[in-house]
Amino acid sequence: MSVRVSIVDGALGAGAKTDFPGAGAVVVFEGVVRPTEGSASIEALEYQTYEPMAQRMLERIGEELSQRHGLIGLDVEHSRGRVGVGECSFRLVVASAHRKEAMAAMNEFIDLLKRDVPIWKRPIRAAGARQRS
Amino acid sequence: MRVRVKLFGPAAAAVDADEAVVDAAGDDGVTCAEVVALLGAEHPALEPHLRSGRLAVNHAFAAPGNPIREGDEVALISMVSGG
């Protein structure tokens, strides 16, 4: 069982880690910045992180879900700073022997991240005008 | 005891600062609940964020009754929006 967490500057690079020996299911989720936030058109999102706590929580969530669901591996990446529309700001890869546990863990991880992990996004409107959220 | 509380996201935007400071009576510690009450009293713009958020002490969520001691790192984790 391996859990890897990365918080990186800007948009995530292309390509997910999918090499998990023994896995029969590798599920990849990518969160991409939409062109609107609410009803407003935006050109980017800016992510702020409380990094030591975010890193720690993502690791704990990953380890707990890996144990509970019997996963082979879990790899999570999240952006800090500016990410443009259409770019990837979050990627989660979950590997297991069979798809049922991978998909269950994927959904649970994202629910917990969105509820608890100290990361905030702020929309940036076109022409660089910043909107306080 | 002086308690510095780190602010992020909408809470920081509400007071246009990345930190709020409160002075608690006594030198031998204060509870999270007491710090929340002081923050609300001294920084009214934080009130909605205090209601919807939680304090973290040393990078872990803390219950209202948890003590805060000299040297602890305290943060207000308001509504998060990652992922």
Side-chain angles (χ1 to χ4, degrees):
Chain A
M1 179 188 83
S2 72
V3 174
R4 191 181 77 122
V5 173
S6 304
I7 299 176
V8 302
D9 287 324
L12 303 184
K17 170 183 163 61
T18 55
D19 175 31
F20 292 91
V26 180
V27 181
V28 180
F29 173 88
E30 292 191 338
V32 176
V33 176
R34 293 187 300 266
T36 58
E37 190 69 16
S39 58
S41 293
I42 64 169
E43 66 177 27
L45 290 174
E46 195 168 276
Y47 289 94
Q48 184 183 25
T49 62
Y50 180 27
E51 195 120 339
M53 186 172 172
Q55 178 83 26
R56 180 175 168 179
M57 288 193 70
L58 290 170
E59 287 169 354
R60 280 197 179 162
I61 293 169
E63 285 159 5
E64 186 198 310
L65 293 179
S66 289
Q67 275 205 328
R68 188 143 46 80
H69 292 280
L71 303 180
I72 289 170
L74 184 148
D75 193 278
V76 55
E77 300 169 84
H78 202 293
S79 297
R80 68 168 90 82
R82 183 185 174 112
V83 181
V85 166
E87 295 183 316
C88 180
S89 61
F90 167 59
R91 180 180 294 128
L92 177 62
V93 183
V94 180
S96 61
H98 306 285
R99 65 177 164 87
K100 185 177 175 183
E101 51 268 32
M103 296 182 93
M106 165 82 60
N107 277 329
E108 200 172 338
F109 189 104
I110 295 173
D111 285 344
L112 289 169
L113 182 153
K114 285 182 169 294
R115 188 189 74 184
D116 293 336
V117 177
I119 298 174
W120 296 265
K121 64 182 180 185
R122 180 162 59 181
I124 298 176
R125 288 187 167 172
R130 190 177 291 179
Q131 174 186 338
R132 287 206 178 277
S133 56
Chain B
M1 187 174 95
R2 174 154 288 189
V3 180
R4 296 182 179 280
V5 181
K6 291 180 180 290
L7 302 175
F8 300 90
V15 295
D16 198 21
D18 58 11
E19 182 181 81
V21 181
V22 294
D23 287 305
D27 295 322
D28 57 352
V30 61
T31 67
C32 287
E34 287 168 330
V35 168
V36 167
L38 286 169
L39 284 169
E42 296 179 30
H43 306 277
L46 285 178
E47 192 64 52
H49 307 284
L50 293 167
R51 272 187 266 114
S52 61
R54 291 172 279 178
L55 286 192
V57 179
N58 299 328
H59 313 142
F61 286 117
N66 273 30
I68 295 170
R69 298 195 171 90
E70 201 73 54
D72 283 342
E73 181 168 303
V74 184
L76 172 60
I77 310 301
S78 54
M79 292 287 285
V80 298
S81 51

